[in-house]
Amino acid sequence: MRYLPLTPDDRAGMLARIGVATVDDLFSDIPADKLLKEPVNLPHHAGELAVERKLGALAQKNVPASSVPFFVGAGAYKHHVPATVDHLIQRSEFLTSYTPYQPEIAQGTLQYLFEFQTQVALLTGMEVANASMYDGSTGAGEAVLMAHRVTKRRKAVLSGGLHPQYADVVKTLSAMANDAVVAAPADVTGTEDLARLIDNETSCIVVQNPDVFGNIRDLRPLAAAAQAKGALLIAVFTEALSLGLIESPGAQGADIVVGEGQSIGNGLNFGGPYVGLFAAKQKYVRQMPGRLCGETVDAEGKRGFVLTLSTREQHIRRDKATSNICTNSGLCCLAFTIHMTLLGEKGLRQLAEVNHANAVDLAERLEAVKGVKVMTSAFFNEFTVKLPVNAAEAIEKMAKKGVLAGVPVSRLLPGAGLDDLLIVANTEVNTDEDREAFIAALKGALSC
């Protein structure tokens, strides 16, 4: 029995009311080559014990990130998350709390969201931050839409150093709205001239720092060039911990800052859920997507918290909404807030320094390997190396030696002719022994 309460007549009536002939017509915006031609080839039903055994056998084929030397980054990073974080977020008042529509009974949720916003604003150097987004990539897409609203223009310029998956999200949202996107070619060295792409139709220029290849960029000239032509600078980051050492985007002139907060408080979690950080200048606050929590006083003069702005489609009329985001990744941003609170400013800087030192150590060891060239001159904890062989093939060989060595650029940019490039991340979890294992496995892969 299929658990569908509608009869064929019910469905026919609904389709007629919508104005389409078939259910397939509801998916007309999805490219034909992305639709399945037949059902997914999965086994039929089985007993619970059989399913557990099958899934257990499949899981054993995975190599857990914590079980081997791990140098994979490119947007998701392995950091140590204190046990206190998981212990606190699993308290029932946090784990089961829902949307804070009624401030009278949601003061705890509203307070930690307010604290989260304060931390994000301080990290990014911006005046106001919202109560989080789905993740960094969808946050980047929302930032572009916000820039369009602010400038009344409909063209975005994307840096060649922007994470390709972030760029794809922007392109997808833009295609649905018939907005223009100008994407610069891949920029491995971080020396592109983006200012030349800005014209009087440009609403924003989107640049990542550190970029996907690890390059640290000076955003000031680009901010000035964009703002001189009435456009906004959107600064993106994928490694939140970098803000512990690198000058904040706000201090460098960014108008909107957006990025991924996974590095702080959140494990890799098989790719999610994550938490998007979003901040902007105060003058653009009413165009920000999502929710903003504010501090106030109640009728008795006691400190309290409320949803100051909730310009989302579930709060106001859809045509007035600035976003269709329907959650703010509450538990993930709580984990972020707890970890940040445990670290404090001094702890954050010290942790960032350890990350950078570890990365420098690995880069120096790699430079000593014959045929290997480090392509990134200024970096935080991630950089790109050029190998004398195909990078994807090399990391497969290294994986067989028990080292997860990084992300080949060809995986992010297939067909771009960058098959010999490897993106390597080295965080605080890596030891000297891990780096020695990396070098030994790489030398073995190059000698095969």
Side-chain angles (χ1 to χ4, degrees):
M1 174 181 177
R2 297 187 67 188
Y3 295 94
L4 298 176
L6 302 176
T7 67
D9 288 341
D10 291 333
R11 288 194 288 274
M14 294 170 69
L15 291 172
R17 182 62 179 267
I18 295 171
V20 297
T22 68
V23 172
D24 290 341
D25 293 337
L26 299 175
F27 300 91
S28 60
D29 286 330
I30 300 177
D33 62 338
K34 299 297 188 296
L35 294 171
L36 297 177
K37 301 297 187 294
E38 56 187 29
V40 177
N41 182 24
L42 290 173
H44 293 292
H45 69 278
E48 184 176 329
L49 182 58
V51 171
E52 287 180 354
R53 287 171 176 166
K54 179 64 175 178
L55 293 179
L58 291 173
Q60 289 177 1
K61 295 182 179 180
N62 291 327
V63 178
S66 58
S67 66
V68 295
F70 185 87
F71 298 88
V72 180
Y77 304 90
K78 179 170 172 52
H79 291 285
H80 172 67
V81 178
T84 306
V85 175
D86 285 338
H87 174 74
L88 290 176
I89 67 172
Q90 291 182 59
R91 289 180 60 93
S92 60
E93 60 267 42
F94 291 136
L95 193 62
T96 62
S97 63
Y98 189 57
T99 299
Y101 289 124
Q102 297 173 273
E104 300 87 353
I105 60 173
Q107 283 300 292
T109 298
L110 289 166
Q111 180 173 354
Y112 81 67
L113 290 176
F114 181 82
E115 303 293 350
F116 167 82
Q117 291 173 180
T118 303
Q119 291 173 340
V120 174
L122 290 171
L123 273 175
T124 58
M126 303 301 287
E127 295 168 322
V128 61
N130 72 12
S132 86
M133 310 293 285
Y134 284 139
D135 56 24
S137 62
T138 51
E142 292 283 349
V144 170
L145 297 179
M146 175 179 165
H148 292 343
R149 293 192 297 271
V150 170
T151 64
K152 304 295 190 294
R153 301 174 182 178
R154 310 298 300 184
K155 183 169 79 173
V157 174
L158 309 184
S159 163
L162 179 64
H163 196 296
Q165 293 169 354
Y166 284 49
D168 285 345
V169 171
V170 172
K171 292 174 184 176
T172 298
L173 289 174
S174 299
M176 294 299 175
N178 293 317
D179 295 334
V181 175
V182 176
D187 179 32
V188 178
T189 59
T191 56
E192 63 189 349
D193 180 14
L194 289 175
R196 63 183 177 81
L197 299 178
I198 307 172
D199 58 26
N200 293 330
E201 301 300 318
T202 303
S203 76
C204 60
I205 186 160
V206 186
V207 61
Q208 182 174 324
N209 186 42
D211 66 22
V212 68
F213 301 106
N215 300 290
I216 295 176
R217 298 178 177 226
D218 181 2
L219 301 181
R220 287 185 181 81
L222 199 53
Q227 292 154 6
K229 293 193 175 182
L232 304 185
L233 175 66
I234 299 175
V236 173
F237 58 87
T238 59
E239 171 57 290
L241 190 60
S242 66
L243 298 174
L245 278 185
I246 298 173
E247 187 174 21
S248 70
Q252 297 188 59
D255 296 289
I256 303 173
V257 181
V258 62
E260 178 55 63
Q262 173 268 324
S263 289
I264 300 176
N266 291 273
L268 289 171
N269 297 331
F270 302 98
Y274 288 160
V275 52
L277 311 185
F278 197 111
K281 292 181 177 178
Q282 176 71 37
K283 62 182 177 180
Y284 302 134
V285 65
R286 291 192 174 275
Q287 293 299 333
M288 287 182 69
R291 299 188 179 113
L292 283 82
C293 295
E295 183 181 12
T296 185
V297 294
D298 65 11
E300 298 177 354
K302 296 179 181 179
R303 184 189 191 209
F305 302 91
V306 294
L307 285 179
T308 303
L309 288 175
S310 315
T311 52
R312 308 187 328 173
E313 50 81 23
Q314 66 186 126
H315 292 285
I316 64 175
R317 293 196 305 275
R318 184 170 297 180
D319 60 331
K320 299 287 187 180
T322 58
S323 172
N324 289 321
I325 291 283
C326 293
T327 185
N328 62 286
S329 298
L331 202 64
C332 295
C333 75
L334 173 61
F336 177 100
T337 301
I338 293 171
H339 195 179
M340 277 295 301
T341 303
L342 291 170
L343 286 170
E345 181 178 356
K346 182 178 180 180
L348 178 70
R349 292 189 183 281
Q350 289 177 339
L351 181 57
E353 288 171 355
V354 171
N355 273 251
H356 179 59
N358 283 356
V360 170
D361 181 37
L362 180 60
E364 291 175 348
R365 298 183 191 218
L366 283 167
E367 280 282 14
V369 178
K370 184 178 180 181
V372 176
K373 177 177 176 57
V374 176
M375 303 294 290
T376 318
S377 58
F379 53 84
F380 172 58
N381 67 359
E382 188 170 30
F383 53 87
T384 300
V385 296
K386 184 175 184 178
L387 304 180
V389 297
N390 182 286
E393 294 175 1
I395 65 166
E396 288 297 328
K397 294 176 181 177
M398 295 176 72
K400 292 178 180 179
K401 298 293 185 181
V403 176
L404 300 182
V407 178
V409 173
S410 60
R411 181 173 180 178
L412 300 175
L413 293 167
L418 303 173
D419 295 352
D420 56 351
L421 297 183
L422 177 66
I423 300 173
V424 179
N426 193 9
T427 71
E428 79 281 0
V429 302
N430 298 114
T431 64
D432 283 339
E433 292 75 16
D434 291 336
R435 289 186 282 278
E436 289 174 3
F438 184 109
I439 299 301
L442 177 60
K443 288 180 177 178
L446 297 181
S447 63
C448 293

